[in-house]
Amino acid sequence: MARNELVIDQNERPVGPSAYAAAEIDLREFVDLEEFPIHDMEHPRRKALVAHAREGLKAFGCAHIPKFLTDHAIEAMRGEATRLMAKALPADARINPYLTADDETLPKDHPKRIFARRTSSFINSDELEPTSLLRKIYDSDVVVHFIGDCLNVGPIYRWADPLGRNPYSVMHDGDYFPWHFDGNDFTVSMLVQESEGGGDFEYCPNIRTAEAESFDDVKAALKGDRSKVKVLKLREGDLQIFRGRYSLHRVTPTNGPVPRIIALPTYVTNPYLVNRPHHAKAFYGRAMPIHVEREMSRVDGLTD
Ligand SMILES: O=C(O)CCC(=O)C(=O)O
Ligand SMILES: [Fe+2]
């Protein structure tokens, strides 16, 4: 067998090498290196980009880089997600912001007991095509390094979670992705296809910290208080870097026949952790043995 050949199992899923080596990744397949010289540490444009991202992350827990992806990349990713759309797991689940099960020992209006219906779905990371451009972007060490620089955190790692590491999120007409915190530390969002209406990303920057859950503020936001809410209108090709573990966030209901598709490469500071089984099931439709084996306490002690 040739070295680079993928072994395809009966379900035609790759079970061989799952990562692109750095030499196989041509950054120009997805980014214009003149405008975004992410590979060139000393380039003034890269320095300006990093400074811009750090400002946004410091002030709002969110950085926005418009038109990061090339048109070719948007097209390739839209094609992949559209081909895989039927594999998006139905996600009709009632979730609370922490993705935990109901706890009847708590008062009824505790935010852990406030559930909303999530109808958006994911094309899980283990469904991506063998030649997926999204996987190439995810596997690029240059991209990991750039994101780490923007976050001013290091080292960061790709997430070990086989389902959640770099999925596409899909929202059809009327779908909703309710308020929640993420199980991973950082998410990069790349919008691949806009819906005609709705689909706005709303977030409450740093509403909780590693030291304080701020249940009262979270409850207020869930009940409609807009005082801490910011809205980000993403366009196709935009890149967003987001600290989803501390900032409560949601995507407003979409409308129109064109589904909203967003790629979500995710990064962590602990290379061993994955989602808890309940979280994996509620978000990605199923839990795997790894989710049970690696269920450990979190360094920050926050609920998830
Ligand atoms: O679709 C988005 O913009 C965000 C999705 C999200 O919050 C998530 O997958 O955890
Ligand atoms: Fe999220």
Side-chain angles (χ1 to χ4, degrees):
M1 188 180 70
R3 247 208 208 157
N4 289 334
E5 219 169 76
L6 289 171
V7 181
I8 305 293
D9 72 6
Q10 283 153 339
N11 301 318
E12 294 196 288
R13 294 254 294 282
V15 294
S18 64
Y20 285 103
E24 296 165 336
I25 300 172
D26 181 352
L27 300 170
R28 290 165 301 188
E29 269 192 70
F30 55 90
V31 62
D32 176 351
L33 291 177
E34 301 271 313
E35 187 148 2
F36 300 107
I38 57 173
H39 62 304
D40 185 350
M41 305 306 142
E42 291 307 311
H43 201 294
R45 271 184 196 245
R46 187 186 191 277
K47 289 185 176 170
L49 272 172
V50 169
H52 163 77
R54 286 186 184 182
E55 273 167 35
L57 281 156
K58 195 163 174 212
F60 309 116
C62 183
H64 179 205
I65 304 179
K67 291 192 172 173
F68 180 80
L69 293 177
T70 59
D71 290 345
H72 161 81
I74 297 169
E75 211 47 56
M77 290 159 80
R78 178 185 297 148
E80 176 178 42
T82 304
R83 285 189 297 278
L84 295 174
M85 198 80 86
K87 295 195 176 189
L89 283 185
D92 196 345
R94 289 174 56 73
I95 60 167
N96 69 12
Y98 309 96
L99 283 298
T100 53
D102 194 17
D103 179 352
E104 289 182 0
T105 64
L106 294 170
K108 260 208 146 60
D109 66 342
H110 190 284
K112 286 191 194 173
R113 300 207 63 196
I114 302 178
F115 285 77
R117 194 167 157 237
R118 181 171 84 90
T119 47
S120 67
S121 47
F122 282 113
I123 298 169
N124 292 339
S125 316
D126 63 341
E127 298 289 0
L128 297 186
E129 295 175 346
T131 57
S132 168
L133 183 58
L134 172 55
R135 191 158 64 79
K136 235 178 229 186
I137 295 171
Y138 195 58
D139 286 349
S140 164
D141 290 325
V142 175
V143 172
V144 179
H145 189 193
F146 175 65
I147 300 298
D149 262 0
C150 290
L151 286 162
N152 205 8
V153 169
I156 60 167
Y157 303 93
R158 297 175 191 91
W159 199 11
D161 196 296
L163 304 178
R165 60 206 319 256
N166 56 338
Y168 290 102
S169 172
V170 179
M171 292 172 72
H172 294 283
D173 194 6
D175 278 351
Y176 178 46
F177 200 144
W179 291 114
H180 67 279
F181 294 102
D182 293 340
N184 59 295
D185 301 304
F186 318 110
T187 297
V188 171
S189 313
M190 298 180 294
L191 192 68
V192 168
Q193 184 162 275
E194 273 177 68
S195 56
E196 269 166 33
D200 290 340
F201 184 80
E202 296 192 342
Y203 64 109
C204 303
N206 301 317
I207 196 168
R208 73 173 180 177
T209 64
E211 289 76 39
E213 288 273 12
S214 309
F215 286 131
D216 285 342
D217 289 342
V218 173
K219 179 164 76 180
L222 294 178
K223 294 198 173 238
D225 176 3
R226 303 282 296 171
S227 60
K228 291 195 159 49
V229 178
K230 294 206 164 300
V231 182
L232 180 61
K233 184 82 203 153
L234 287 174
R235 300 285 178 207
E236 286 167 12
D238 288 5
L239 180 142
Q240 174 197 3
I241 308 173
F242 185 59
R243 298 175 72 106
R245 193 158 173 77
Y246 306 112
S247 300
L248 186 72
H249 56 286
R250 71 168 178 176
V251 185
T252 62
T254 44
N255 45 69
V258 182
R260 176 185 188 270
I261 303 172
I262 193 160
L264 300 167
T266 53
Y267 302 89
V268 292
T269 50
N270 179 336
Y272 189 78
L273 278 188
V274 295
N275 264 328
R276 296 186 189 286
H278 189 275
H279 193 143
K281 197 148 183 3
F283 247 32
Y284 303 100
R286 65 197 172 100
M288 301 164 74
I290 192 174
H291 297 113
V292 179
E293 281 156 21
R294 298 195 181 185
E295 190 167 14
M296 314 162 69
S297 56
R298 285 10 185 178
V299 175
D300 61 17
L302 289 169
T303 314
D304 72 18

